[in-house]
């Protein structure tokens, strides 16, 4: 669960950086609220994104992967690992 938690914190941090760069406000306690939700999940639980990928459905990959890459380009931020993961997942889903 630690690795998942660390990844979740990284995703939240990326989102916060984009929000600030784009002038989008967020609640001051957004990290704590998000972590509370994540830690309440059962160990055997999976994300809807993982279930979509396993089913070969691309519904959330654009929102979670593609949007990060597009926002990064807009903000002039390099996120090569995120974009590489996005491309790999998109290829897997598309077959």
């Amino acid at each position: 669960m630690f690795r998942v938690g660390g990844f979740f914190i990284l995703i939240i941090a990326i989102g916060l950086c984009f929000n600030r760069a784009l002038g989008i406000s967020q609640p001051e306690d957004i990290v704590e609220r998000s972590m509370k939700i994540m830690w309440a999940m059962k160990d055997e639980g999976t994300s809807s994104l993982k279930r979509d990928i396993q089913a070969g459905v691309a519904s959330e990959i654009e929102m979670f992967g593609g949007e990060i890459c597009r926002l990064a380009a807009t903000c002039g931020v390099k996120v090569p690992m995120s974009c590489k993961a996005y491309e790999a997942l998109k290829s897997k889903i598309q077959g």
Side-chain angles (χ1 to χ4, degrees):
M1 191 68 168
F2 173 75
R3 282 190 261 164
V4 172
F7 181 71
F8 191 73
I9 291 170
L10 177 61
I11 294 299
I12 291 171
I14 290 170
L16 290 172
C17 290
F18 285 140
N19 285 350
R20 287 186 185 126
L22 297 169
I24 300 169
S25 64
Q26 63 261 327
E28 287 187 27
D29 65 342
I30 190 67
V31 173
E32 292 82 7
R33 288 172 32 192
S34 298
M35 292 306 297
K36 186 175 181 180
I37 292 168
M38 199 241 3
W39 290 118
M41 292 172 59
K42 296 183 179 188
D43 287 341
E44 65 273 6
T46 62
S47 71
S48 56
L49 178 59
K50 180 179 179 182
R51 291 188 300 273
D52 285 349
I53 291 167
Q54 289 174 328
V57 178
S59 64
E60 291 184 337
I61 193 64
E62 283 303 317
M63 179 175 60
F64 291 118
E67 193 61 23
I68 286 173
C69 296
R70 289 186 289 275
L71 281 172
T74 299
C75 296
V77 176
K78 294 182 180 184
V79 290
M81 295 304 291
S82 294
C83 293
K84 190 173 190 175
Y86 162 66
E87 291 297 333
L89 290 172
K90 191 166 81 167
S91 293
K92 180 177 177 158
I93 290 168
Q94 292 173 346

